[in-house]
């Protein structure tokens, strides 16, 4: 049902409801490889709506099954495989899919799905990717990845934010062609604004009444 694309809003709403229900159902460990394979196939489906639905599925599935995924990780490796699928969706050809993947990645970071070293490695990967990649879509994926760290940590002081601030400053001053700026700047500026507001509140807390 994920591949159905119809202008009929009730039908599309039903498809979304089915995907949402499936994402929070309990599954035995033996079915995790099949779930991983299905998500992998749909995340590369020709219909971008299917790929978009997979970002939502992953968001709900990580939230509802995180303890099971962590326990089964040494044997099955499902957790790391699903994270790789999400990162591939972050560089999807459709911007709606990329932005939805960024929201899911934000939640994964905030829920501490990854440990500290894994998060630092991912942040370093995004920074290196932006520097090395030449295709706009890949650069946008890297920028969205860093923005995910901003949104995930906007209510607390973390060691990540120092590197994030420096990186976002570089993005804002990067001499990109005009056609690229229109795609990249909105999320970057918004994330940078969140950081500025955060630091102002942190350094100048409101006086108690």
């Amino acid at each position: 049902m994920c591949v159905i694309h119809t202008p009929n809003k009730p039908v599309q709403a039903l498809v979304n409801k089915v995907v949402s229900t499936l994402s929070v159902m309990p599954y035995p460990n033996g079915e995790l490889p099949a779930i991983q394979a299905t998500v992998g196939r749909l995340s590369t489906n020709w219909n971008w709506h299917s790929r978009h639905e997979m970002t939502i599925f992953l968001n709900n599935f990580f939230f509802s099954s995180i303890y099971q995924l962590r326990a089964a990780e040494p044997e099955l490796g499902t957790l790391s495989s699903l994270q790789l699928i999400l990162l591939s969706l972050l560089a999807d050809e459709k911007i709606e899919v990329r932005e939805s993947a960024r929201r899911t990645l934000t939640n994964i970071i905030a829920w501490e799905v990854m440990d500290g070293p894994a998060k630092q490695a991912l942040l370093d990967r995004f920074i290196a990717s932006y520097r090395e990649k030449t295709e706009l879509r890949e650069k946008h994926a890297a920028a969205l990845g860093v923005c995910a760290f901003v949104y995930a940590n906007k209510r607390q002081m973390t060691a990540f934010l120092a590197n994030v601030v420096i990186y976002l400053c570089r993005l804002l001053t990067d001499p990109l062609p005009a056609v690229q700026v229109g795609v990249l700047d909105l999320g970057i500026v918004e994330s940078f604004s969140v950081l500025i507001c955060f630091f102002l509140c942190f350094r100048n807390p409101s006086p108690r009444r």
Side-chain angles (χ1 to χ4, degrees), residues 79-148:
L79 179 59
S80 57
S81 297
L82 291 178
Q83 289 175 2
L84 290 176
I85 292 174
L86 178 63
L87 293 179
S88 69
L89 291 169
L90 196 66
D92 192 87
E93 63 183 19
K94 198 73 173 177
I95 191 171
E96 290 86 351
V97 178
R98 298 200 297 267
E99 292 176 343
S100 182
R102 193 277 302 163
R103 289 189 288 271
T104 298
L105 180 59
T106 295
N107 290 333
I108 288 177
I109 297 170
W111 296 335
E112 302 291 341
V113 173
M114 295 176 284
D115 58 21
K119 288 194 293 186
Q120 184 63 59
L122 183 59
L123 179 60
D124 293 341
R125 170 181 170 179
F126 287 138
I127 293 175
S129 179
Y130 188 88
R131 292 170 178 167
E132 298 168 1
K133 300 295 183 181
T134 57
E135 185 179 354
L136 173 59
R137 177 170 54 88
E138 298 288 347
K139 282 184 172 291
H140 190 212
L144 288 174
V146 177
C147 290

Side-chain angles (χ1 to χ4, degrees), residues 3-201:
V3 299
I4 296 178
H5 177 208
T6 172
N8 189 315
K9 292 185 178 180
V11 173
Q12 191 63 49
L14 178 60
V15 172
N16 296 342
K17 187 175 181 179
V18 169
V19 172
S20 178
T21 301
L22 291 174
S23 66
V24 296
M25 289 179 60
Y27 297 97
N29 284 358
E31 293 187 10
L32 292 180
I35 294 173
Q36 174 189 327
T38 302
V39 172
R41 286 196 300 270
L42 289 174
S43 67
T44 58
N45 190 273
W46 64 270
N47 188 336
W48 73 267
H49 291 272
S50 297
R51 305 194 301 272
H52 182 272
E53 286 301 322
M54 285 304 97
T55 64
I56 299 173
F57 178 93
L58 287 171
N59 184 83
N60 297 338
F61 189 64
F62 278 126
F63 181 77
S64 62
S65 306
I66 183 58
Y67 295 109
Q68 178 187 9
L69 290 171
R70 281 174 174 166
E73 179 65 10
E75 178 183 357
L76 301 176
T78 304
L79 179 59
S80 57
S81 297
L82 291 178
Q83 289 175 2
L84 290 176
I85 292 174
L86 178 63
L87 293 179
S88 69
L89 291 169
L90 196 66
D92 192 87
E93 63 183 19
K94 198 73 173 177
I95 191 171
E96 290 86 351
V97 178
R98 298 200 297 267
E99 292 176 343
S100 182
R102 193 277 302 163
R103 289 189 288 271
T104 298
L105 180 59
T106 295
N107 290 333
I108 288 177
I109 297 170
W111 296 335
E112 302 291 341
V113 173
M114 295 176 284
D115 58 21
K119 288 194 293 186
Q120 184 63 59
L122 183 59
L123 179 60
D124 293 341
R125 170 181 170 179
F126 287 138
I127 293 175
S129 179
Y130 188 88
R131 292 170 178 167
E132 298 168 1
K133 300 295 183 181
T134 57
E135 185 179 354
L136 173 59
R137 177 170 54 88
E138 298 288 347
K139 282 184 172 291
H140 190 212
L144 288 174
V146 177
C147 290
F149 278 93
V150 175
Y151 288 108
N153 296 285
K154 63 183 179 182
R155 290 186 176 89
Q156 56 183 332
M157 176 64 73
T158 69
F160 292 111
L161 290 182
N163 287 334
V164 171
V165 170
I166 295 173
Y167 180 65
L168 289 178
C169 287
R170 290 174 179 171
L171 289 184
L172 288 171
T173 58
D174 195 13
L176 293 171
V179 68
Q180 295 188 14
V181 174
V183 178
L184 291 180
D185 63 356
L186 182 59
I188 297 171
V189 171
E190 183 179 357
S191 296
F192 192 74
S193 300
V194 169
L195 274 178
I196 294 299
C197 292
F198 170 79
F199 279 117
L200 288 176
C201 293

